[in-house]
Amino acid sequence: MRKLAIMTLVAGAALALPASAFAQAGNITATATVNSVFIDGAFQNLVFDAVNPGTAASVNVVTGAGGTPGFVEFSYNANYRVTATALPATLASGAATVGVAWECGTSAGTGTNPAASAACTQGATVASSDAVAGMGTVVVWLGGTIADTNVLAGTYTGNITFTIAAF
Amino acid sequence: MRFRPKALVRVLGGTVLVAALAASPGMAQGGGGTAVVDPVQGLQFGQLVPGMTLRVGPEEVGQRGELHVEGTGQYQVQFLLPEALVSLEGRTIPLVFGATDGILVRGTAGTAQVFDPRFGIGLSLTGGVRDARIFLGGTVEPAPGQASGMYLANITVLVARN
């Protein structure tokens, strides 16, 4: 250890101090930690076009055909994982319910069509990155299919939650 | 005269980094007596928020950098100041030092002398005063999109006898 310290001081002295002077070197470290930042940005509700009894209805997550796909936008500066923390199996209108199968997609912005995600069930990871180099944006899209439409007339709703977190 | 960190890195290569990790005191013969430089505390900026500049002043006890110098005689103190904190991935945060980022205190009850670490300061360990403390502050400027993670840099203090 002494040898290393001496090498440091000799080279340092040669740069700016008189050649005849004996110099001593002490080192400290400056440190900082940048926090992980996640920002909830724009969002859009998923809306199916009018559903006719007896006919399946769907909103294509990639093309948007069949209605208005939902999305939620996240900004991040750290490696992230987006999880579908609440993705109900049914939509409800009072006591009446209708089953729904979900489709998820992701894109880097709201102006582009998403690519479909492999998994879209409650608890599944729908988007992630482990090579973040600064601030970025990921948009998680949602579509789905209602297969059994032989239900009472009404407006059927459900709440969906996506959560972003560092890993 | 200001030290040029880039030049030092070229000359010393990995030696500086190894010395920093060890945080070992330097010791050499100083004419009037043996002098020692002991690192006491690193300069700690703590948690940063992207886009928000943060300054740690040399008067901030828990965060400022601190070194202890012991010896006898007249010395010149110079700093090898990095221009950025660097992450393991090679990302950087600019690190700047200003005119009031250094404080020198001679002896245990000496008066605080503010100085500019970019230009160093003379140190007189005479008249019964055998030691001094050097405090160092600085400012970091994380970008709005700064990636999260740990960033660090090495600061070297050189004490040479006049």
Side-chain angles (χ1 to χ4, degrees), chain A residues 24-84:
Chain A
Q24 308 163 55
N27 297 280
I28 58 175
T29 303
T31 59
T33 302
V34 176
N35 289 329
S36 301
V37 175
F38 301 105
I39 302 169
D40 294 352
F43 71 95
Q44 175 173 281
N45 290 324
L46 167 63
V47 180
F48 289 83
D49 286 343
V51 178
N52 295 315
T55 304
S58 66
V59 175
N60 187 296
V61 73
V62 175
T63 66
T68 303
F71 70 74
V72 60
E73 181 183 46
F74 297 101
S75 295
Y76 57 81
N77 77 329
N79 294 337
Y80 67 85
R81 179 177 291 130
V82 178
T83 304

Side-chain angles (χ1 to χ4, degrees), chain A residues 25 98 138 148:
Chain A
V98 62
V138 61
D148 178 11

Side-chain angles (χ1 to χ4, degrees), chain A residues 1 4 10 12 17 28 30 54 56 67 70 73 79 85 88 90 129 143 147 157:
Chain A
M1 196 56 62
L4 292 173
V10 170
L17 297 172
I28 58 175
E73 181 183 46
N79 294 337
T85 46
T90 59
S129 176
T157 61

Side-chain angles (χ1 to χ4, degrees), chain A residues 1-2 4 7-8 11-12 15-17 21-37 77-78 132-135, chain B residues 12 15 18 22 26 29 35-36 39 42-43 45-48 50 91 145-146 148-160:
Chain A
M1 196 56 62
R2 175 70 55 78
L4 292 173
M7 288 173 64
T8 301
L15 286 173
L17 297 172
F22 286 89
Q24 308 163 55
N27 297 280
I28 58 175
T29 303
T31 59
T33 302
V34 176
N35 289 329
S36 301
V37 175
N77 77 329
V132 173
M135 214 72 188
Chain B
L12 297 179
T15 304
V18 173
Q29 194 68 24
V36 177
L43 177 56
F45 291 97
Q47 301 284 328
L48 304 182
R91 298 170 188 136
Q146 192 74 49
S148 68
M150 182 77 176
Y151 293 74
L152 58 87
N154 182 49
I155 298 169
T156 298
V157 181
L158 296 174
V159 180

